[in-house]
Amino acid sequence: MSWETLFSLQGHGPYILGAYGVTILLMGWEALSLWRRARRARRQRDESGSLAGRTRP
Amino acid sequence: MHNPSTFDAPRPAAARSSWMRYASPALFYPLAGRMIPFFAAGAALLAAAGLYTGLVVAPIDSQQGEVYRILFIHVAAAWMSMFLYLVMAGYAALGLIFNTRLSFMMMRALAPTGALFTFLTLWTGALWGKPTWGTWWVWDARLTSELILLFLYLGFMALQAATDDTQRADRGGAILLLAGVVNVPIIYFSVQWWSTLHQGASINLTAAPSMARIMVTAMLLMVAAFWLYSAAVALARVRGIILEREPGAVQAGGEMAAGQTGPRGARTEAK
């Protein structure tokens, strides 16, 4: 399939690309936001762990 | 007075190591962390194969032309929207009957992904409907019941967010889910029960598919990819919920896992 065919798709290009594009965008956004949240939580755990280690006698 | 040798003795190793122990959020947390990369990699591989098969290998449909390619993601998203709701309802029932904390957490973790797939079903359906039916939307039994499913997901999420009392939110949400489960067979059988613009099922368990084999392959690859994706994101989300609700248990569970598995387990937790 050439790029021209991919974007024209018998005149249905906007429909097909709109469907696939939004699907990939939303799924990617969900995965990325979860990954960022996990990274933030891990960093907070590491920081609280090192603080506890520092205050321990 | 009880006999200490009977009641205080450690449980047999076989019972301790059974999979049921993973119903404990503290022990499930590291297990979920180990499973996520496998599900995510599987989802990426199957999605790549599904996209290649669906967009490049599968031929143009003789009646619908190119626009039928939307169905590879539309059908997969629709199946996942119903399947995830049923899984959530299963966790809701388990939580209400056995009062297991992890069931409620999994129920909550699946909701945004279920809502996402329901929205994608409606979105891709509208984009397929416009060139095929000549309209974005009709108040057809299949479309309307799928829209009700989206409202059920959103209602569940709103209920969870409405209160800080997690126990009340969990129980209220579980009851809402169980009440709404009647909508899933309505969605599935709506095309048989009513005269709808939406066509009947192209694939079912009792008859040969009405589509070419390569098209069915592309669709099933996308279904498998969406299934693995849902598992990966639900596990990632449930880890966040466990951490939020039981931070102390996560630390204790990590130390227990490290103690049981030695340095390897400790390394996994330290990541």
Side-chain angles (χ1 to χ4, degrees):
Chain A
M1 187 187 279
S2 68
W3 287 109
E4 199 184 332
T5 319
L6 177 68
F7 286 104
S8 71
L9 294 165
Q10 294 182 333
H12 294 144
Y15 300 105
I16 298 171
L17 296 175
Y20 278 88
V22 169
T23 301
I24 291 167
L25 207 71
L26 288 181
M27 289 170 75
W29 173 76
E30 186 187 27
L32 187 71
S33 65
L34 283 168
W35 178 73
R36 288 179 68 175
R37 194 186 298 172
R39 196 179 59 168
R40 198 167 50 237
R42 197 164 48 234
R43 197 175 295 160
Q44 278 174 356
R45 266 179 71 191
D46 290 348
E47 279 170 11
S48 63
S50 64
L51 267 176
R54 240 180 281 160
T55 52
R56 207 171 285 157
Chain B
M1 209 173 105
H2 72 261
N3 178 3
S5 62
T6 307
F7 288 95
D8 297 340
R11 286 186 298 158
R16 262 204 328 267
S17 63
S18 77
W19 63 273
M20 281 291 283
R21 74 199 180 104
Y22 289 112
S24 155
L27 290 177
F28 187 73
Y29 182 87
L31 176 72
R34 286 196 294 272
M35 289 194 295
I36 290 168
F38 294 103
F39 284 128
L45 282 174
L46 287 170
L51 287 172
Y52 180 75
T53 312
L55 293 176
V56 180
V57 180
I60 298 171
D61 185 74
S62 59
Q63 292 178 336
Q64 297 181 30
E66 295 280 8
V67 79
Y68 91 98
R69 295 183 198 279
I70 291 177
L71 297 182
F72 297 135
I73 47 171
H74 173 71
V75 174
W79 285 3
M80 288 312 299
S81 71
M82 290 185 281
F83 175 71
L84 291 181
Y85 193 91
L86 290 177
V87 175
M88 282 172 68
Y91 278 123
L94 276 176
L96 287 175
I97 295 166
F98 298 110
N99 207 21
T100 44
R101 305 187 314 281
L102 186 62
S103 303
F104 287 133
M105 293 177 189
M106 281 303 296
M107 171 186 86
R108 192 171 180 170
L110 284 163
T113 310
L116 171 71
F117 279 122
T118 312
F119 170 77
L120 288 175
T121 305
L122 295 168
W123 173 258
T124 55
L127 286 169
W128 177 83
K130 182 64 179 166
T132 314
W133 293 340
T135 179
W136 301 101
W137 178 266
V138 282
W139 291 101
D140 169 272
R142 172 60 71 85
L143 276 68
T144 308
S145 52
E146 187 71 20
L147 182 65
I148 291 170
L149 185 70
L150 179 63
F151 292 152
L152 282 168
Y153 274 119
L154 296 178
F156 172 82
M157 287 159 64
L159 191 67
Q160 296 290 307
T163 174
D164 291 333
D165 185 342
T166 50
Q167 275 196 334
R168 276 185 71 185
D170 284 345
R171 290 185 172 276
I175 292 165
L176 174 70
L177 280 176
L178 290 173
V181 86
V182 69
N183 189 47
V184 176
I186 291 176
I187 297 171
Y188 189 78
F189 292 109
S190 57
V191 288
Q192 294 172 28
W193 292 344
W194 293 286
S195 173
T196 58
L197 185 58
H198 196 286
Q199 71 271 36
S202 302
I203 301 174
N204 62 50
L205 294 174
T206 54
S210 58
M211 299 166 71
R213 185 169 289 182
I214 190 71
M215 296 175 184
V216 175
T217 305
M219 195 178 285
L220 293 179
L221 281 169
M222 291 312 292
V223 171
F226 281 8
W227 192 93
L228 290 174
Y229 167 85
S230 302
V233 294
L235 289 175
R237 193 172 285 115
V238 84
R239 273 169 62 90
I241 295 170
I242 293 172
L243 205 57
E244 188 185 300
R245 290 190 182 182
E246 304 184 10
V250 169
Q251 207 164 355
E255 281 161 12
M256 273 170 69
Q260 279 177 7
T261 55
R264 193 163 174 264
R267 199 162 55 239
T268 309
E269 265 307 278
K271 274 179 191 172

